[in-house]
Amino acid sequence: MTALDEIKIGGLGASRKRVEDNRFIRGKGNYTDDIVLPGMLHMEILRSPLAHARIVSIDTSRAWRIPGVHLVLTGEMMATRNLAWMPTLSYDTQAVLATDKVRFQGQEVACVIADDPYIAKDACEAIDVEYEPLPAIVNPEQALADGAPVIRDDKEGQDSNVIFNWEVGDAAGTERAFAQADKTSRLRLHYPRSHPSPIECCGSIADFNRATSKLTVYMTTQAPHIIRAAVALVAELPEHMIRIISPDIGGGFGNKVPVYPGYVCSILASILLECPVKWIEDKSGNLISTGFARDIYLDGELALRSDGKILGVRMHVDSDHGAFFSDAQPSKFKIGLLHSAFACYNIPAGHITARGTYTNKAPGGVAYRCSFRVTEAMFFQERMIQAAASDLGMDQAEFRRINLVRDDQFPFRTPFGFLTDSGQYAKCLDVGLKAVGYEDFRRRQAEAKARGRLLGLGISTMTEPLGAGNSREYDILGIKMFDSADLKVHMTGKAILRTGAKTQGQGHETTWAQIVAHELGIPAEDVVVEEGDTDTAPFGMGTYASRSTPVAGAAVAMVSRKIRAKARKLAAHLLEVSEEDVEWELGRFYVRSAPGRGVTIQECAMAAYSNMPDGMEPGLENTAYYDPPNLTWPFAVYIVTVEVDPETGVWDVLNMVAVDDCGVRINPMIVEGQIMGGLTEAYAMANMQFITFDAEGNCVGSNYMDYLLPTAWETPGYELHSEVVTPSPHHPIGAKGVGECAAVGGPAAFVNAVMDAIADTGVRNIDMPLLPDRVWEAITKRHDVSGAPPVRSDD
Ligand code: CDP
């Protein structure tokens, strides 16, 4: 017997088909809405039609009289149990059900629990609420204006709409860099509010059992253990009596990280009624009230030397958080990891100031397929890089090459204090430029221009921090960020693995088993992976910010190594040699001096239950908690070519090339799927997604007729490259995160391409989405086009 063939057993590098798809493509997934419990009632939420208004009165008497109604909850009732307000993940408070005022359109005002959802919905409409309208604030400029109404007048001492002022970097050093610059390049823009829009909306089924005092909640959460802790603290229930089960999830993208009022109300209703209560959000409810992303304004400047070297960067951002500051992000960083901007460039000095404001919009700031504002950081960075190259009259690719961090400079300290781990940035850029036919395209572009056609090429290069913690620097509400894996190898060598992460479509059931196969030689098909049940999975911080592979994935490797260490002792016992004389090859231990004498990992597993040496604890199982020494830093180059129609402003993608270096790929097919999905979301943001607010604070984009998701019809094709592999030096298997890279780096490539096509107009910026009328306005009127709310009447 010899070492196993790693690809054949579905180990590292195998494009193993996704095991979870067996049930998904047969319609056998088990989502929250599929779960039916005996005696279950249904909950619906009454939402505010106004963005800002004082509540004069709420009369629920008509609703109570409707047959089939069991309970009507209002903020006043919640307040008697100290549950009208709840803490957010960013040390703010958020109304569960409104008591004094409503602060955004769609805010939760009351709930009805009834025999079925239709009765509950009808009863919601029978609740009479009298509102006294107040002026609505829909952007930071209005929020900061003199005399603006204070949205959060519920908070003692809050006398303005400012949430925080935060800064990072070296103000004096940056000032000096700008004093020495030959040229300063400035860009102002808005990254519009967008919505992660998972196909499955949010929902929960709370099931409180009075006899056992146990509360079981099935819910659509990306972070079940954090929810368990939150329920224990907010509802003051004993944590061991709370079980959160996150079944199959139909997409999360950050939308399913926060704690929503619907979860809290269904839990309270179940406790009061002593029966299961199900709440399933509808699409409009999801689109107008749950975790928005982005909505942030940049005023950015680069200090440039005339030879193309960037000397310094200065950024001021104003972020619009809506009515409650409920971002889920490391508590040290008020504006998330926005300061990861420019991490792939060697820039000596930088300074960022950030200001957060309340507005009359739903809480925002969730990390939509993004590590806490990294998407905004990379978009600002790459738009500023393009503007700076144009201002210097330099070639876009050359300007990047001059400033990218060189391979021999790692680990590299960025201007804002991060330590990037590894990369081959220039090589990735070369691969991308070659694939897109850069020189040839520039020639064709010039020829086309002579005939009145507008071709453009956009580049986006970026590295981003994936895998929070380490626990020294990263915590959410004081809970340190790390992750975990628990592996039980049964006596026949089959195994069950549980982690603190929670897949929402990323394929953890497939890829985690591949890591076990790589470490232990147990075929991936012999390992079942379970996540999302707090009674069985080890504690973890959940899945968002592409942290699963860097943290939980590392824990899987580490727990497998613990199992291998014990199996080695068992092998020595079976082979009757000392442990030092035992060697390992995939799937098998053998005697160093007699390689033909060996035992398989499965034989070791059997011995762990039937023939262990004297004094050894029986069994073959273990748990690992992994606290990463650093974040992983994947690198990517995205290059897009487009043609813009000068008559209509419509633009078409001609080609898109993606070069992703995410270190070792566990499953190349799944990685490609992640990149294609991310590029499609990037395209949507650049091209069509438009959720905004009118002057009264009405949310425009509360359905899929207005908020567009790209279908196969309009989505362009992508050419993916995987030839550059720089393993992470500190991750146990050299893998870096990848899930969000394309959504993070992609938007700038599309926008840069359109701006390149219309460069002759002298226009510096069109805010996303680059709708045809905006592009046409820029071409014909030759001025920048802003997309900041309130929405214009012609949009
Ligand atoms: O945290 P999340 O699962 O969203 O993101 P991720 O850690 O980047 O992983 C997304 C998917 O890609 C998972 O199934 C990973 O196992 C897989 N992956 C991979 O096969 N190789 C990598 N180097 C990174 C991720």
Side-chain angles (χ1 to χ4, degrees):
M1 168 142 187
T2 54
L4 297 171
D5 179 327
E6 174 139 13
I7 299 299
K8 278 199 185 138
I9 64 162
L12 221 55
S15 282
R16 183 176 182 233
K17 284 193 181 153
R18 288 165 36 106
V19 292
E20 41 273 87
D21 288 352
N22 267 333
R23 60 179 192 280
F24 293 149
I25 61 175
R26 288 168 212 226
K28 298 286 185 196
N30 186 35
Y31 300 91
T32 300
D33 200 16
D34 292 325
I35 296 165
V36 177
L37 299 180
M40 187 170 79
L41 298 177
H42 298 264
M43 187 182 97
E44 288 289 327
I45 296 175
L46 174 70
R47 299 182 179 281
S48 167
L50 300 177
H52 200 192
R54 209 160 287 290
I55 296 175
V56 179
S57 62
I58 303 179
D59 180 354
T60 58
S61 52
R62 286 198 301 130
W64 276 105
R65 284 200 295 273
I66 293 177
V69 168
H70 293 256
L71 181 67
V72 184
L73 282 176
T74 61
E76 205 180 320
M77 290 167 70
M78 301 293 281
T80 62
R81 290 168 175 82
N82 206 19
L83 283 175
W85 292 82
M86 62 181 178
T88 71
L89 297 174
S90 280
Y91 294 98
D92 194 6
T93 47
Q94 173 171 358
V96 177
L97 293 179
T99 47
D100 52 341
K101 283 205 304 192
V102 286
R103 293 176 169 83
F104 66 90
Q105 188 191 46
Q107 187 180 336
E108 299 79 0
V109 174
C111 288
V112 175
I113 294 89
D115 285 337
D116 67 44
Y118 310 101
I119 298 173
K121 193 112 197 147
D122 287 347
C124 280
E125 284 172 18
I127 299 173
D128 300 304
V129 187
E130 194 187 331
Y131 295 102
E132 180 192 315
L134 296 166
I137 289 173
V138 295
N139 64 38
E141 199 185 328
Q142 294 175 351
L144 298 168
D146 284 346
V150 176
I151 296 168
R152 295 300 305 276
D153 50 359
D154 58 289
K155 292 177 75 172
E156 223 180 292
Q158 180 80 37
D159 55 7
S160 76
N161 292 315
V162 175
I163 308 172
F164 62 80
N165 279 294
W166 193 77
E167 67 177 308
V168 63
D170 173 5
T174 308
E175 205 58 55
R176 282 195 298 279
F178 276 83
Q180 288 160 13
D182 296 324
K183 204 173 188 79
T184 297
S185 171
R186 186 172 186 193
L187 193 67
R188 290 168 182 226
L189 49 85
H190 176 221
Y191 199 132
R193 189 168 261 240
S194 65
H195 197 280
S197 191
I199 295 299
E200 181 202 29
C201 300
C202 296
S204 54
I205 304 170
D207 183 13
F208 181 68
N209 184 329
R210 177 68 64 199
T212 61
S213 295
K214 181 118 186 176
L215 172 69
T216 304
V217 191
Y218 302 84
M219 62 161 68
T220 52
T221 177
Q222 298 174 222
H225 285 95
I226 300 301
I227 296 281
R228 185 180 69 186
V231 173
L233 297 172
V234 175
E236 292 178 8
L237 294 171
E239 198 173 355
H240 66 302
M241 286 293 161
I242 304 167
R243 180 180 188 187
I244 306 294
I245 302 174
S246 194
D248 285 333
I249 295 187
F253 309 109
N255 183 245
K256 291 171 179 163
V257 176
V259 181
Y260 292 119
Y263 297 155
V264 180
C265 292
S266 66
I267 289 171
L268 179 64
S270 177
I271 292 171
L272 293 176
L273 295 168
E274 296 186 23
C275 67
V277 173
K278 180 189 251 188
W279 164 62
I280 298 293
E281 191 179 53
D282 63 19
K283 188 51 76 183
S284 287
N286 182 260
L287 277 174
I288 64 174
S289 75
T290 62
F292 285 88
R294 334 294 188 216
D295 213 349
I296 182 165
Y297 298 76
L298 167 77
D299 186 350
E301 288 178 296
L302 286 175
L304 305 167
R305 218 163 56 193
S306 49
D307 63 358
K309 172 78 187 142
I310 305 172
L311 301 176
V313 50
R314 196 153 49 198
M315 297 163 80
H316 173 74
V317 294
D318 269 303
S319 62
D320 177 339
H321 292 262
F324 308 109
F325 182 29
S326 67
D327 304 18
Q329 64 190 4
S331 53
K332 229 172 117 174
F333 306 116
K334 290 283 171 242
I335 195 74
L337 304 186
L338 189 103
H339 55 306
S340 60
F342 294 95
C344 66
Y345 298 107
N346 180 359
I347 302 179
H351 186 230
I352 296 179
T353 52
R355 178 170 48 192
T357 51
Y358 290 119
T359 59
N360 290 119
K361 290 146 89 171
V366 304
Y368 165 18
R369 207 167 184 166
C370 161
S371 290
F372 321 113
R373 303 278 186 191
V374 165
T375 311
E376 292 95 309
M378 298 313 149
F379 182 72
F380 293 160
Q381 163 194 306
E382 286 307 296
R383 292 287 297 115
M384 285 170 69
I385 287 286
Q386 190 195 38
S390 305
D391 289 343
L392 284 173
M394 278 189 76
D395 175 77
Q396 295 289 330
E398 189 51 28
F399 182 60
R400 285 178 171 79
R401 198 190 308 280
I402 290 171
N403 289 291
L404 283 173
V405 174
R406 292 192 319 268
D407 301 2
D408 60 0
Q409 289 177 304
F410 293 103
F412 179 80
R413 184 70 66 185
T414 77
F416 302 113
F418 289 100
L419 196 66
T420 53
D421 60 358
S422 60
Q424 302 175 68
Y425 299 170
K427 186 171 173 191
C428 289
L429 182 60
D430 287 343
V431 170
L433 293 175
K434 186 166 172 232
V436 82
Y438 188 67
E439 299 303 333
D440 185 50
F441 183 84
R442 287 296 185 209
R443 205 168 38 250
R444 285 194 287 127
Q445 185 181 26
E447 283 164 17
K449 192 158 105 182
R451 296 198 305 278
R453 285 176 59 204
L454 301 177
L455 301 190
L457 182 145
I459 306 176
S460 176
T461 45
M462 62 108 209
T463 182
E464 58 159 333
L466 298 184
N470 56 71
S471 67
R472 292 184 311 283
E473 285 185 292
Y474 298 91
D475 70 85
I476 292 184
L477 287 183
I479 306 169
K480 303 283 189 191
M481 297 188 80
F482 53 83
D483 235 289
S484 58
D486 177 275
L487 182 59
K488 293 181 169 50
V489 182
H490 310 317
M491 68 177 75
T492 55
K494 315 288 180 193
I496 180 161
L497 175 82
R498 297 186 172 103
T499 85
K502 175 59 206 166
T503 189
Q504 314 124 47
Q506 295 94 329
H508 294 178
E509 288 170 52
T510 308
T511 49
W512 293 168
Q514 293 185 243
I515 299 177
V516 176
H518 169 71
E519 294 290 339
L520 290 175
I522 296 176
E525 65 186 28
D526 289 349
V527 183
V528 68
V529 176
E530 275 185 13
E531 292 179 338
D533 182 340
T534 56
D535 265 11
T536 55
F539 182 91
M541 293 297 274
T543 289
Y544 40 86
S546 292
R547 62 186 298 279
S548 304
T549 301
V551 198
V556 175
M558 298 313 271
V559 76
S560 301
R561 289 175 193 182
K562 286 186 178 181
I563 296 282
R564 199 166 73 205
K566 182 166 184 188
R568 178 185 293 276
K569 293 186 196 308
L570 288 156
H573 169 66
L574 294 175
L575 294 166
E576 296 176 336
V577 292
S578 76
E579 214 186 312
E580 291 70 45
D581 293 332
V582 171
E583 290 287 339
W584 166 255
E585 61 186 2
L586 192 61
R588 173 178 184 265
F589 293 99
Y590 62 89
V591 181
R592 186 177 304 124
S593 55
R597 276 189 66 217
V599 285
T600 63
I601 187 77
Q602 288 79 6
E603 286 167 321
C604 295
M606 183 57 82
Y609 298 87
S610 61
N611 179 17
M612 54 281 188
D614 281 350
M616 180 186 272
E617 190 181 344
L620 195 55
E621 46 187 75
N622 220 316
T623 304
Y625 283 88
Y626 187 76
D627 185 1
N630 189 2
L631 300 148
T632 65
W633 294 83
F635 183 74
V637 175
Y638 303 114
I639 307 182
V640 180
T641 57
V642 298
E643 173 154 14
V644 178
D645 181 343
E647 303 293 326
T648 62
V650 170
W651 53 278
D652 289 317
V653 175
L654 305 175
N655 193 8
M656 171 145 209
V657 169
V659 185
D660 279 271
D661 176 4
C662 58
V664 172
R665 295 183 178 205
I666 303 161
N667 182 321
M669 182 191 68
I670 285 187
V671 169
E672 291 202 348
Q674 294 287 309
I675 295 168
M676 287 185 193
L679 290 176
T680 304
E681 286 181 322
Y683 174 69
M685 282 180 238
N687 187 284
M688 62 182 72
Q689 274 177 355
F690 189 44
I691 200 156
T692 187
F693 295 81
D694 68 14
E696 278 79 49
N698 294 309
C699 177
V700 180
S702 58
N703 59 72
Y704 280 159
M705 293 297 283
D706 295 321
Y707 190 65
L708 305 180
L709 299 191
T711 65
W713 177 254
E714 51 273 314
T715 300
Y718 311 118
E719 183 183 320
L720 308 187
H721 287 262
S722 56
E723 51 266 57
V724 190
V725 178
T726 316
S728 165
H730 57 80
H731 187 279
I733 57 166
K736 300 180 179 184
V738 75
E740 68 196 33
C741 290
V744 168
F750 291 105
V751 177
N752 283 347
V754 175
M755 298 311 297
D756 183 55
I758 65 163
D760 284 353
T761 59
V763 172
R764 291 181 79 71
N765 184 54
I766 307 171
D767 279 338
M768 292 192 292
L770 270 59
L771 300 169
D773 64 316
R774 291 187 184 183
V775 178
W776 186 79
E777 181 179 331
I779 294 172
T780 52
K781 307 234 171 89
R782 295 181 174 248
H783 60 210
D784 287 12
V785 183
S786 158
V791 66
R792 302 173 316 182
S793 56
D794 55 341
D795 275 326

